[in-house]
């Protein structure tokens, strides 16, 4: 089993930057965060600094641990530099299969032969990416949840050619960064949590479209009847309506399930994606 000491995270969006941060503040790994945009890397590091400062203020981190964690996290715009000596590479670019395939093809060329190559995709199973690397036995899914520094779960997904050693190393890595791994033993679209969430969300949307209740009352029903922390419309606004819509489109293309509900399609086409645009099922202050 490969000994993981150095980790590269590819993609400095919200997920990638927080995966890098959580790995760094664990105190066990050196981390390189890579992105094609230097500006995005600056934004990611600024946001991470805010997160660790908040952690110190709330007593979740000591000042020393925060400082040490940030010192373990470096950035680069050069993919070859990020992965040159990595033992584990976690791809966290935006949820587009063509983009992820391009990254995995390059990882097969540039990452050390010992390296495990993981995808943080929330819907794309690893077999759709792994063959491009020439080492499918060392590839797996490693699906973290937003926000990574708060949400404990990570779904580790096995592909048809993923080795036991790769899965063992991935599961142990997740534990060592203070997250909780669950094993998806064979490939299934959407993995575990999203399949449960999508089923509940689709039924909730049907109730809305059928005129049985308002979005507000459906959210109240879920929060106070099921004791969930957020209603499903609130959750879609929080995560991004385009994320749920994309997951449903991808599932339909894979031959599972009907086309996405029209209400989601209409909101995506209108650019009403939730909190990040100021409007979704609810309205929010416009983001800066």
């Amino acid at each position: 089993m490969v000994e993981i000491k150095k980790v590269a995270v590819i993609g400095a969006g919200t997920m990638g930057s927080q995966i890098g941060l959580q790995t760094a503040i664990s105190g066990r790994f050196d981390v390189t965060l890579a992105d094609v945009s230097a500006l995005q890397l600056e934004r990611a590091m600024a946001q991470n600094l805010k997160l660790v400062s908040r952690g110190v203020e709330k007593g979740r981190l000591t000042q020393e641990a925060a400082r040490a964690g940030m010192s373990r996290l470096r950035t680069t715009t050069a993919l070859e530099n990020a992965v040159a000596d990595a033992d584990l590479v976690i791809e966290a670019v935006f949820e587009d299969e063509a983009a992820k395939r391009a990254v995995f093809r390059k990882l097969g060329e540039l990452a050390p032969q010992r390296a495990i190559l993981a995808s943080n995709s929330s819907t794309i199973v690893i077999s759709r990416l792994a063959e491009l690397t020439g080492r499918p036995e060392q590839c797996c899914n490693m699906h973290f949840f937003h926000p990574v520094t708060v949400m404990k779960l990570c779904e580790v997904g096995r592909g048809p050619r993923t080795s036991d050693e790769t899965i063992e190393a991935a599961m142990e890595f997740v534990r060592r960064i203070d997250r909780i791994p669950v094993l998806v033993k064979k490939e299934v679209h959407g993995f575990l949590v999203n399949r449960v969430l999508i089923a509940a969300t689709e039924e909730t949307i049907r109730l809305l479209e059928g005129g049985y209740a308002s979005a507000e009352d459906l959210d109240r029903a879920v929060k106070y009847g099921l004791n969930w922390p957020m209603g499903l419309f609130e959750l879609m606004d929080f995560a991004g309506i385009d994320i749920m819509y994309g997951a449903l489109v991808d599932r339909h293309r894979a031959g599972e399930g009907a086309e996405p509900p029209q209400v989601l399609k209409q909101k995506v086409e209108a650019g009403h994606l939730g909190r990040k645009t100021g409007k979704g099922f609810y309205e929010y202050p416009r983001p800066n």
Side-chain angles (χ1 to χ4, degrees):
M1 185 174 71
V2 64
E3 183 180 3
I4 298 173
K5 294 182 178 178
K6 296 186 177 181
V7 178
V9 180
I10 313 305
T14 301
M15 291 300 295
S17 62
Q18 289 197 24
I19 292 168
L21 178 61
Q22 184 62 37
T23 303
I25 63 177
S26 72
R28 297 179 170 94
F29 306 95
D30 293 321
V31 186
T32 302
L33 181 62
D35 198 282
V36 294
S37 168
L39 179 59
Q40 183 58 42
L41 288 168
E42 290 178 14
R43 289 172 176 161
M45 292 301 283
Q47 185 59 38
N48 281 346
L49 184 58
K50 288 181 182 178
L51 288 173
V52 296
S53 297
R54 194 177 305 149
V56 171
E57 289 173 6
K58 294 189 174 182
R60 294 194 297 261
L61 276 176
T62 66
Q63 188 71 53
E64 181 181 354
R67 188 165 42 245
M70 290 299 291
S71 72
R72 292 189 188 93
L73 183 58
R74 67 184 184 93
T75 63
T76 182
T77 56
L79 181 62
E80 60 270 24
N81 292 341
V83 305
D85 58 354
D87 305 304
L88 168 65
V89 182
I90 303 173
E91 167 274 311
V93 304
F94 58 96
E95 194 73 358
D96 176 81
E97 184 168 343
K100 290 179 183 294
R101 286 173 65 84
V103 170
F104 266 76
R105 185 177 287 109
K106 295 297 291 183
L107 293 180
E109 299 169 4
L110 299 173
Q113 283 302 307
R114 69 179 183 276
I116 291 172
L117 309 178
S119 175
N120 181 57
S121 174
S122 58
T123 60
I124 300 168
V125 293
I126 198 62
S127 62
R128 286 154 67 175
L129 309 172
E131 297 298 332
L132 298 165
T133 69
R135 55 180 109 167
E137 68 283 352
Q138 290 166 238
C139 298
C140 65
N141 285 105
M142 196 177 284
H143 176 217
F144 292 88
F145 288 76
H146 173 66
V148 181
T149 54
V150 175
M151 300 294 284
K152 288 281 192 178
L153 186 67
C154 178
E155 296 175 317
V156 176
R158 179 192 288 275
R161 297 182 62 184
T162 307
S163 70
D164 291 342
E165 291 78 13
T166 293
I167 291 299
E168 184 180 347
M171 298 281 282
E172 181 58 23
F173 167 77
V174 173
R175 295 185 190 101
R176 293 184 72 195
I177 65 169
D178 193 31
R179 304 295 87 174
I180 297 171
V182 294
L183 177 60
V184 185
K185 297 166 67 176
K186 59 183 181 179
E187 292 190 335
V188 62
H189 182 271
F191 312 122
L192 307 179
V193 172
N194 279 344
R195 289 186 73 88
V196 174
L197 181 62
I198 285 172
T201 299
E202 282 190 312
E203 184 57 32
T204 306
I205 292 172
R206 287 191 195 99
L207 292 169
L208 176 69
E209 291 184 326
Y212 295 101
S214 66
E216 293 83 357
D217 276 348
L218 285 162
D219 276 352
R220 291 187 189 102
V222 167
K223 286 193 289 185
Y224 302 115
L226 297 177
N227 204 28
W228 289 12
M230 297 178 76
L232 288 162
F233 295 107
E234 290 177 306
L235 182 58
M236 280 188 280
D237 276 4
F238 178 74
I241 292 171
D242 53 326
I243 301 299
M244 176 58 72
Y245 180 72
L248 291 172
V249 167
D250 193 60
R251 186 186 68 162
H252 179 61
R253 287 174 179 165
E256 294 189 33
E259 291 185 6
Q262 280 298 305
V263 66
L264 294 187
K265 182 179 181 181
Q266 290 164 2
K267 288 189 179 296
V268 169
E269 289 176 346
H272 299 158
L273 308 181
R275 286 180 178 271
K276 60 188 174 185
T277 62
K279 185 175 183 179
F281 288 100
Y282 301 94
E283 294 193 9
Y284 308 91
R286 289 290 299 179
N288 295 326

